[in-house]
């Protein structure tokens, strides 16, 4: 069960945004990721709880940030309920999309699991509902994912395969790289893996 800490920063000006303390695990029915978010001061700022089925679809997602809350799942596309900090107002949403995304590294792992690319295979297009901090406002957009390469790195516990993805925003044309090893993000815009207590899990 990988357990560790990501540091988060603004990908444009590198302003520190805090840390995400996580643990995750594969199982017979899929994958689960749980994390707690803290500000640079150490103050608790939110949490992520994401469960995927064996095909990478979101069985359940639960996000907290700045007292806002989102609960969602893959149902008739993707469906969610967003609750305000007072708890008095809840709005429902439904979009014909493939999955959810957001600032957490968990969503890179989830989307890589969903598209299931092989090296040299063409890019796949996915429609996503993203929840942006700090109020978890939903936005629907399209991305293209391409697996550029897979490299084996020797470690004390055996070969570690690292996948390099190119992720393209089909609305803006922006592209960025994401490096994944199993269910752990090694690097991505605004994300750095700072601590890892055990090797990544494999989806093989």
């Amino acid at each position: 069960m990988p357990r560790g800490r990501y540091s988060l920063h603004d990908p444009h000006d590198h302003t520190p945004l805090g840390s995400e303390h996580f643990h995750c695990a594969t199982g017979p029915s899929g994958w689960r990721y749980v994390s707690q978010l803290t500000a640079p001061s150490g103050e608790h700022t939110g949490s992520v709880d994401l469960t995927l089925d064996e095909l990478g679809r979101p069985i359940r997602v639960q996000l907290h940030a700045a007292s806002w809350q989102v609960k969602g799942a893959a149902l008739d596309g993707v469906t969610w309920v967003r609750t305000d900090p007072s708890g008095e107002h809840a709005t429902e949403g439904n979009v014909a999309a493939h999955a959810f995304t957001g600032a957490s590294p968990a969503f890179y792992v989830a989307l890589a699991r969903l598209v299931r690319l092989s090296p040299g295979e063409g890019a796949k297009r996915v429609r996503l509902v993203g929840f942006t901090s700090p109020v978890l406002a939903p936005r629907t957009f399209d991305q293209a994912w391409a697996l550029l390469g897979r490299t084996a790195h020797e470690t004390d516990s055996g070969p570690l395969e690292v996948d390099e993805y190119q992720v393209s925003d089909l609305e803006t044309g922006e592209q960025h790289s994401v490096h994944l090893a199993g269910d752990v993000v090694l690097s991505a815009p605004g994300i750095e893996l700072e601590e890892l207590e055990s090797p990544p899990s494999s989806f093989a």
Side-chain angles (χ1 to χ4, degrees):
M1 177 187 293
R3 182 184 301 270
R5 178 176 65 88
Y6 295 107
S7 64
L8 309 177
H9 58 267
D10 187 301
H12 303 292
D13 63 13
H14 302 289
T15 300
L17 300 178
S19 296
E20 185 160 340
H21 302 261
F22 72 95
H23 62 272
C24 53
T26 56
S29 60
W31 182 70
R32 187 179 182 197
Y33 176 101
V34 177
S35 69
Q36 300 293 324
L37 302 168
T38 57
S41 64
E43 177 188 4
H44 182 262
T45 57
S47 63
V48 176
D49 189 341
L50 174 65
T51 303
L52 307 179
D53 68 10
E54 58 187 3
L55 297 178
R57 298 171 298 193
I59 299 174
R60 183 186 68 178
V61 60
Q62 186 165 322
L63 308 175
H64 290 87
S67 298
W68 290 83
Q69 177 177 291
V70 165
K71 292 182 178 181
L75 183 66
D76 297 325
V78 294
T79 299
W80 70 92
V81 176
R82 176 172 172 261
T83 308
D84 72 334
S86 70
E88 296 178 1
H89 304 286
T91 55
E92 295 186 13
N94 173 261
V95 172
H98 298 97
F100 297 110
T101 191
S104 173
F107 292 109
Y108 283 122
V109 178
L111 290 169
R113 187 67 181 150
L114 182 70
V115 297
R116 291 172 180 263
L117 293 167
S118 300
E121 187 178 352
K124 283 189 179 179
R125 179 173 180 153
V126 285
R127 171 153 288 191
L128 306 171
V129 174
F131 296 103
T132 55
S133 299
V135 296
L136 302 179
R139 181 173 76 93
T140 303
F141 58 97
D142 295 320
Q143 283 184 341
W145 277 63
L147 179 55
L148 299 184
R150 178 172 292 155
T151 307
H153 296 266
E154 289 299 327
T155 69
D156 293 340
S157 54
L160 180 68
E161 288 195 338
V162 177
D163 289 344
E164 180 185 0
Y165 290 90
Q166 182 180 75
V167 181
S168 305
D169 186 316
L170 297 182
E171 181 178 324
T172 65
E174 292 183 4
Q175 296 181 332
H176 61 267
S177 295
V178 177
H179 292 83
L180 301 178
D183 58 355
V184 171
V185 178
L186 300 182
S187 66
I191 298 167
E192 294 293 339
L193 179 65
E194 300 289 352
E195 300 173 8
L196 186 63
E197 295 182 7
S198 56
S201 299
S202 171
F203 288 112

